[in-house]
Amino acid sequence: MPNRLADATSPYLLQHADNPVDWWPWGPAAFAEAARRGVPVLLSVGYAACHWCHVMAHESFEDEDVAGYLNERFVAVKVDREERPDVDAVYMEAVQAATGQGGWPMTVFLTPDKEPFYFGTYFPPEPRHGMPSFRQVLEGVEAAWRDRREEVGEVAGRIRADLAGRASVYSAGAHHPPAAADLHQALVTLGRDFDERRGGFGGAPKFPPAMVIEYLLRHHARTGSQAALEMAERTGEAMARGGIHDQLGGGFARYAVDAGWVVPHFEKMLYDNALLLRAYLHLWRATGSPLARRVALSTADFLLRELRTPEGAFASALDADSLDEESGSSAEGAYYVWEPGQLVDLLGPADAATAARLFSVTAEGTFEHGTSVLQLLADPEDVDEFEVIRERLLAARGLRPAPARDDKVVAAWNGLAIAALAETGALLERPDLVEAAERAADLLLAVHLTPEGRLLRTSRDGRPGANAGVLEDYADTAEGFLALYAVTGEAEWLQLAGGLLDTVLKHFTDEASGALYDTADDAEELIRRPQDPTDNATPSGWTAAAGALLTYAAYTGSARHRTAAERALGIVGALAARAPRFIGWGLAVAEALLDGPREVAVVGPADDPATAALRRAALLATAPGAVVAVGAPATGDTEVPLLADRPLVGGAPAAYVCRHFACDAPTTDAAVLGERLGVAVE
């Protein structure tokens, strides 16, 4: 019989709707029930594509005995971390502080007042590798709650006080925006962590550093640093050639379990692919790399082919697991890996040998049971032959049982996808990608934006979810709309971005310090108001908002928005030297601030080839954070202040390169414009 999760919009919660555990969704009713019964709360947090979440569900939450014990002595609450990143952030901080590590599924025990007192992540069904079983954990917590309630309360109180103290650190006082020396020191620190042999930073597991690559490319563009460019190029190539990159269908897995990018954790997330699409596009723009261009296009095609929903937005993720046809059970990576014999059966001996050599498929394998994750360690000599083999393998793979798709739409991640697709479509002359970006933006307007101008975080099947948008939703959606304006010239996107950013200033900003909170001032009150300027898998909402505020100010001349961006970037100066890997997007935005950013106004008739040539030169600019406005000459008040009072030159389309609305002499020559902006026009 389905439990209380049966009516959820979250695919993750729906995965647990038939568990024998009497799950409650997060909400006042669950905690009121715990208070009424005088029992603790089990908070279990995960997401639909999480491999170990599936494992623990199968081992423990589907077990009738465990469920019976849990239902009798606890109130069990299940949360999708992607729907409620605020709940996840607050309790994950407590888990990491107490245990030194985090991850999902997250397992936290709370008082009925939402105060945490015992933590963990995955627990096995039997004691293993020094970990107690989940049943032992339940019994130990229940005994402590029953026999040492006062001690539990003291622990919970100390943890709550500690979290409150951590929250105040970021708002303790304003910092100055980072200076050039801070950004140079960030590069030096990154250089110490850089893996010279395999690309990327640090050791295993290795996560794709999309935000850091953006910083490195912008730093190179501003300073000419070859060290920054080399780190970006080598990391981009290593990831593109490794198993973390889907060599058949495009797109990237969540991370590599090894330091050489060979074996991925196979789930594919929208946010990773949107960020990496943009990073590879910008790598191509900076270097002209054919590999970067190919990866950008294949990643864009992956998004459209496998993550686009019928409503035109983009689904959250593909699962790591799929059905293994040989064993008949679900297995991680079964959809993606190959054995030599499978290649022979499909391609015949000669082409199978070629495929095995191209994709590093061996008898020993690189994954479980002698299977290999496909890599492409060198470009094929015969591109046509390679494409034929790749298409045949992709078609055959398409007949395998596919990974499940988490088809909820998250506003923030769609904002990232909109920005990436719009830019890619414009720079690589793929109008279908721009159209896809516009359609996704239309869905956000129709379903996620309320009549009051507030964002809802999620939707599914065109049906809005109940959860309020958090800071990253406003910031990343604004970023997407600003990118659409640059590409289409439709002023509505600029105005919509401004509305979202005004909400950020009104509801998410600490006026005293300029710090930003992850939740609005009128959001549900948790045990603390979450706040974090550091990147995780996506840019922090804090620095994403700073970037969008800076871009909007560059289009409009708004001192209010620019000042807010500068104040928000103060934290980047404090973290640049000691933690650059975790403030990458903030560093990238700071590079734009130091460069101006450059404001490019292209004026001329839309159908004039000279206008198009100037516009393309501007979009190809490597100048950090440069903004591009294109339109007819305007005087006085206009929807786009950057275009105001910029006339044609001798009756011809012209481009103005400005900083703080102070402009150099206009040019009618696309090549000259390119030189001013640091790009060689094709």
Side-chain angles (χ1 to χ4, degrees):
M1 179 178 176
N3 55 43
R4 293 176 185 82
L5 305 183
D7 295 327
T9 57
S10 159
Y12 175 64
L13 298 188
L14 291 172
Q15 288 173 357
H16 295 268
D18 292 315
N19 289 171
V21 175
D22 187 19
W23 291 112
W24 292 69
W26 177 276
F31 292 95
E33 176 67 5
R36 184 188 70 78
R37 290 173 51 196
V39 298
V41 172
L42 164 69
L43 172 63
S44 177
V45 182
Y47 58 102
C50 168
H51 171 72
W52 287 103
C53 299
H54 299 326
V55 172
M56 188 167 176
H58 178 67
E59 293 174 340
S60 296
F61 300 142
E62 295 173 9
D63 183 277
E64 294 283 353
D65 291 338
V66 170
Y69 187 90
L70 185 55
N71 294 339
E72 183 179 345
R73 294 168 173 83
F74 298 84
V75 167
V77 174
K78 178 63 75 172
V79 167
D80 181 342
R81 67 174 292 260
E82 297 173 347
E83 277 197 335
R84 291 300 304 263
D86 51 340
V87 172
D88 178 65
V90 167
Y91 294 106
M92 182 58 74
E93 186 171 12
V95 171
Q96 291 172 330
T99 68
Q101 59 187 11
W104 298 275
M106 177 168 62
T107 306
V108 185
F109 293 90
L110 315 176
T111 71
D113 293 325
K114 304 180 185 176
E115 296 177 329
F117 63 88
Y118 188 80
F119 318 89
T121 53
Y122 163 79
F123 289 105
E126 294 92 24
R128 186 187 304 157
H129 306 306
M131 285 191 293
S133 70
F134 184 55
R135 177 63 180 258
Q136 288 174 326
V137 170
L138 292 176
E139 291 172 350
V141 169
E142 194 275 332
W145 182 261
R146 183 184 65 241
D147 301 331
R148 303 191 302 279
R149 182 80 57 88
E150 185 175 336
E151 180 183 332
V152 168
E154 291 174 356
V155 169
R158 286 198 301 271
I159 292 169
R160 183 170 190 159
D162 177 66
L163 290 175
R166 289 167 179 266
S168 67
V169 170
Y170 298 131
S171 301
H175 301 279
H176 296 294
D182 297 312
L183 299 182
H184 173 72
Q185 189 56 51
L187 181 70
V188 172
T189 304
L190 284 170
R192 296 192 194 109
D193 287 342
F194 183 62
D195 186 334
E196 295 278 354
R197 187 162 66 90
R198 294 165 295 202
F201 301 91
K206 243 182 195 165
F207 290 81
M211 290 81 81
V212 171
I213 289 175
E214 294 281 7
Y215 153 68
L216 292 170
L217 292 174
R218 289 185 177 191
H219 189 76
H220 166 70
R222 184 178 62 83
T223 68
S225 167
Q226 288 302 306
L229 182 61
E230 183 177 339
M231 282 191 275
E233 286 186 294
R234 291 174 65 181
T235 299
E237 179 167 1
M239 292 191 301
R241 297 198 180 284
I244 192 174
H245 179 216
D246 183 348
Q247 303 295 343
L248 300 184
F252 288 82
R254 178 71 197 92
Y255 63 86
V257 301
D258 59 285
W261 309 106
V262 177
V263 177
H265 183 47
F266 290 90
E267 62 190 12
K268 282 180 166 180
M269 315 301 293
L270 172 60
Y271 50 75
D272 285 321
N273 284 283
L275 289 164
L276 287 166
L277 167 56
R278 210 174 185 191
Y280 276 98
L281 176 71
H282 293 166
L283 185 58
W284 166 79
R285 185 172 64 182
T287 66
S289 162
L291 176 62
R293 185 181 192 277
R294 187 171 76 236
V295 171
L297 285 173
S298 68
T299 304
D301 288 336
F302 158 74
L303 290 177
L304 268 59
R305 185 182 65 249
E306 298 192 40
L307 290 184
R308 187 155 52 168
T309 70
E311 296 76 31
F314 293 91
S316 295
L318 298 180
D319 208 329
D321 298 2
S322 57
L323 183 67
D324 183 332
E325 293 180 291
E326 284 192 18
S327 67
S329 60
S330 183
E332 185 180 3
Y335 186 70
Y336 298 100
V337 297
W338 294 82
E339 300 173 7
Q342 293 173 319
L343 298 181
V344 173
D345 292 343
L346 177 64
L347 302 173
D351 284 348
T354 301
R357 176 176 50 80
L358 284 170
F359 292 119
S360 300
V361 178
T362 65
E364 296 77 18
T366 52
F367 191 54
E368 298 170 351
H369 312 301
T371 59
S372 292
V373 182
L374 302 190
Q375 304 172 73
L376 187 66
L377 301 181
D379 285 339
E381 295 178 5
D382 187 331
V383 175
D384 291 336
E385 178 187 42
F386 168 77
E387 281 300 321
V388 169
I389 290 173
R390 187 189 68 80
E391 289 288 350
R392 290 180 67 186
L393 292 177
L394 181 62
R397 191 179 78 178
L399 300 176
R400 296 175 175 178
R405 187 171 85 163
D406 179 346
D407 57 358
K408 73 174 177 297
V409 171
V410 175
W413 307 345
N414 273 260
L416 295 174
I418 289 164
L421 289 167
E423 284 194 4
T424 304
L427 269 62
L428 300 183
E429 300 178 305
R430 282 278 303 272
D432 61 311
L433 300 182
V434 178
E435 291 169 8
E438 289 180 293
R439 191 175 172 202
D442 287 339
L443 183 281
L444 294 184
L445 293 180
V447 178
H448 288 247
L449 190 65
T450 71
E452 298 75 31
R454 303 299 288 271
L455 274 177
L456 299 173
R457 179 161 174 84
T458 62
S459 68
R460 186 167 185 249
D461 298 330
R463 177 177 144 214
N467 299 308
V470 296
L471 178 60
E472 71 162 0
D473 294 305
Y474 286 86
D476 292 336
T477 301
E479 178 82 9
F481 289 174
L482 290 166
L484 269 180
Y485 169 67
V487 164
T488 66
E490 295 176 10
E492 178 191 13
W493 298 119
L494 180 62
Q495 294 161 3
L496 287 164
L500 296 175
L501 293 172
D502 284 343
T503 300
V504 168
L505 296 180
K506 181 178 180 180
H507 291 290
F508 291 86
T509 305
D510 183 331
E511 291 187 9
S513 67
L516 290 142
Y517 290 95
D518 291 337
T519 54
D521 54 7
D522 53 1
E524 177 189 351
E525 186 175 348
L526 302 175
I527 60 169
R528 84 163 179 87
R529 191 176 177 190
Q531 181 185 51
D532 189 354
T534 59
D535 299 331
N536 198 296
T538 57
S540 77
W542 184 322
T543 57
L549 286 163
L550 184 64
T551 298
Y552 184 76
Y555 278 122
T556 63
S558 168
R560 174 171 170 252
H561 291 83
R562 184 179 177 92
T563 298
E566 291 174 346
R567 297 182 79 202
L569 287 174
I571 194 68
V572 179
L575 297 175
R578 66 178 196 264
R581 287 172 58 189
F582 305 102
I583 197 78
W585 189 247
L587 293 169
V589 176
E591 290 287 349
L593 181 68
L594 282 182
D595 195 61
R598 244 77 69 87
E599 303 146 357
V600 187
V602 176
V603 292
D607 58 354
D608 192 321
T611 305
L614 289 168
R615 173 179 173 274
R616 180 157 182 80
L619 290 173
L620 285 166
T622 57
V627 304
V628 181
V630 183
T635 57
D637 292 336
T638 176
E639 291 179 302
V640 185
L642 181 57
L643 293 173
D645 302 316
R646 317 278 189 224
L648 302 177
V649 174
Y656 295 77
V657 178
C658 319
R659 284 186 174 95
H660 312 294
F661 275 49
C663 305
D664 297 336
T667 181
T668 59
D669 188 325
V672 171
L673 177 60
E675 290 171 5
R676 292 182 182 179
L677 295 171
V679 61
V681 179
E682 303 155 299

